[in-house]
Amino acid sequence: MIDDFAKAYLHDNLRWVRASLLQKLDGVSEYDARRPLTTTGTNLLGLVKHLTLSEARYLGGIVGRPFPEPLPQFDDPGFVSRDQLWVRVDESRAEVVERYRRACAHADATIEALPIDAPGHVPWWPRPDVMLFNLMVHVLTETNRHVGHADILREQVDGVVGDDPVSTSDDAAEWAAHRERVEQAARAAGSGASAPRD
């Protein structure tokens, strides 16, 4: 009973966070979906491409249900992780998003088909013998981490915050005042002085 509950709970959360990731692309131009917004080149569409590998590998091949489409492997000669975190000009946005959706559908089928204690083997992990439970937690954690990145990237692009892809922050003046309070506190802490209180 608890195994079924745990699997359903993790799966529901994974579905929710996947949708949140794709919402970050709503209303964004082709350029803004792809452009590097950090020193290391992190970009919205690249995060989707990267998470396609996570879904397909961890909730597919690792438990004996390989994703039917060719994908780079971690042990391929010349594989570099950062190459999967950006989108080449010959890769369309629609292709990247649809491949992610297909990888998620394949992962969903795996989750539905297997018990939560189904065995898997991840040779690059310190404890390589795992269960579907471990893999679900890993993919959920990984996706949440990158959705957090996507939240910040989207805010940099056009000010959209939260789960509503069409509205910016509630009150620009209020957010500006809040940001200034945060800045003052940081400056005061950095100089050893006391920060002003509200």
Side-chain angles (χ1 to χ4, degrees), residues 50-111:
H50 168 72
L51 287 169
T52 299
L53 289 179
S54 294
E55 292 276 354
R57 180 147 303 113
Y58 290 107
L59 297 174
I62 293 295
V63 287
R65 293 175 49 91
F67 186 60
E69 300 174 34
L71 289 172
Q73 301 294 314
F74 296 145
D75 56 357
D76 286 346
F79 177 87
V80 179
S81 184
R82 71 175 166 251
D83 290 343
Q84 302 308 310
L85 283 160
W86 67 284
V87 179
R88 299 182 320 266
V89 70
D90 64 327
E91 297 174 287
S92 79
R93 177 178 177 162
E95 288 169 342
V96 171
V97 169
E98 283 310 309
R99 182 173 270 196
Y100 177 67
R101 287 190 170 127
R102 289 192 305 273
C104 291
H106 182 79
D108 288 343
T110 295
I111 292 167

Side-chain angles (χ1 to χ4, degrees), residues 102-135:
R102 289 192 305 273
C104 291
H106 182 79
D108 288 343
T110 295
I111 292 167
E112 294 299 326
L114 299 177
I116 199 164
D117 61 350
H121 185 77
V122 187
W124 53 90
W125 283 9
R127 293 182 184 163
D129 294 321
V130 297
M131 297 181 295
L132 179 62
F133 170 80
N134 306 98
L135 300 169

Side-chain angles (χ1 to χ4, degrees), residues 174-187:
E174 186 177 317
W175 280 114
H178 172 72
R179 187 186 186 289
E180 183 55 33
R181 283 191 299 274
V182 174
E183 176 67 28
Q184 288 178 13
R187 287 184 185 278

